[in-house]
Amino acid sequence: MAQLIQQGAEAKVFALDFYGRPAIAKERFAKTYRHPTLDKKLTSRRVVQEARCLFRCQQAGIDAPAVYHIDDVRNTIYMEHIQGRTVKRALVDGEGDTALAEQLAIKIGKALAALHRIQIIHGDLTTSNLYLRESTDSLVLIDFGLSYHSNLIEDKAVDLYVLERAFLSTHPNSEATFDGIVRAYVKQAQDGKQVLAKLEDVRLRGRKRSMVG
Ligand SMILES: Nc1ncnc2c1ncn2[C@@H]1O[C@H](COP(=O)(O)OP(=O)(O)OP(=O)(O)O)[C@@H](O)[C@H]1O
């Protein structure tokens, strides 16, 4: 029996058994305010894009849910249900444990550098979209619903900035941990220094925007 675990604005997420394996089915549904033909096209394009990003991660050895099946009629991706906990939970449960936070920061920075190396921008990085596998403690990236292909420094910097905003608002006093992520990222990334310089620009823009209101 499929169990609904999330009803979002664009997708329903179910937990179910897929031929004996714990799986997630992510079904994108129509948006009533869009023209039906256009909507069908956009919805199926997003499904394909999400699945493609998952495949590319798999090929590159980046830990992300394995894709089991794509139902292009029902716009549903069946994928591996990651057994573990979110980085959000790990940080909340381990509050004050600086060694744990440092270790996580290195894993996150490395994973994002690897992702950007294959020219994928995640688009929705939060500590809820980062999992830790129970069995191996490996860092797993999930929710590629807003992901896309790009090798632009700006896009990579914005990806990090989105995570920074999510990080600092979800985990108070986590500046040092985020710095650790950036340090690990710069060490491993293809254009780490340029992305870091751009990140400073993006932050400045963000600050100006929030001053203007
Ligand atoms: N492969 C997975 N393994 C474990 N949990 C998952 C997996 N995929 C999704 N989830 C859980 O379901 C929640 C919602 O999934 P997801 O973030 O992919 O959908 P969404 O945010 O509704 O979609 P989108 O951002 O693409 O519109 C996640 O936060 C996570 O808790």
Side-chain angles (χ1 to χ4, degrees), residues 50-68:
E50 183 165 0
R52 191 178 288 146
C53 289
L54 287 166
F55 274 130
R56 293 193 59 217
C57 284
Q58 202 97 77
Q59 281 173 333
I62 297 168
D63 205 348
V67 176
Y68 293 155

Side-chain angles (χ1 to χ4, degrees), residues 9-205:
E10 299 198 9
K12 275 187 206 159
V13 178
F14 299 92
L16 74 169
D17 179 274
F18 190 84
Y19 296 101
R21 285 181 279 195
I24 289 282
K26 187 166 171 179
E27 179 184 355
R28 289 199 173 270
F29 44 80
K31 284 203 165 164
T32 43
Y33 63 80
R34 280 199 303 233
H35 186 279
T37 313
L38 172 69
D39 187 80
K40 233 183 188 166
K41 240 190 189 162
L42 290 177
T43 307
S44 67
R45 197 181 293 162
R46 280 246 58 94
V47 171
V48 169
Q49 197 156 329
E50 183 165 0
R52 191 178 288 146
C53 289
L54 287 166
F55 274 130
R56 293 193 59 217
C57 284
Q58 202 97 77
Q59 281 173 333
I62 297 168
D63 205 348
V67 176
Y68 293 155
H69 177 65
I70 299 163
D71 180 341
D72 58 0
V73 177
R74 304 209 56 181
N75 291 313
T76 304
I77 303 178
Y78 292 81
M79 67 184 97
E80 173 192 10
H81 188 171
I82 304 298
Q83 306 295 301
R85 57 182 180 154
T86 60
V87 164
K88 179 176 177 182
R89 178 103 320 271
L91 285 172
V92 170
D93 289 350
E95 210 194 321
D97 184 344
T98 47
L100 170 82
E102 269 169 37
Q103 215 184 39
L104 280 175
I106 293 170
K107 282 187 185 176
I108 298 168
K110 272 189 181 170
L112 298 184
L115 188 72
H116 287 176
R117 194 175 277 275
I118 60 165
Q119 306 180 0
I120 291 180
I121 306 301
H122 184 279
D124 191 17
L125 288 170
T126 64
T127 50
S128 301
N129 283 340
L130 301 171
Y131 265 70
L132 287 166
R133 263 183 209 279
E134 207 166 61
S135 52
T136 58
D137 224 22
S138 163
L139 185 98
V140 192
L141 300 161
I142 72 154
D143 190 5
F144 286 76
L146 293 174
S147 304
Y148 60 98
H149 176 265
S150 167
N151 199 27
L152 295 180
I153 302 291
E154 165 94 18
D155 292 342
K156 295 176 184 179
V158 172
D159 218 17
L160 294 184
Y161 183 65
V162 168
L163 179 63
E164 180 172 39
R165 300 297 302 220
F167 220 92
L168 301 183
S169 64
T170 319
H171 308 284
N173 308 317
S174 62
E175 287 82 358
T177 309
F178 191 78
D179 282 350
I181 295 178
V182 173
R183 245 179 286 122
Y185 176 90
V186 171
K187 234 189 233 173
Q188 307 274 333
Q190 207 168 25
D191 349 85
K193 290 215 171 81
Q194 286 160 276
V195 176
L196 180 60
K198 188 58 90 177
L199 176 61
E200 302 287 354
D201 284 355
V202 177
R203 280 173 177 153
L204 210 62
R205 258 188 269 155

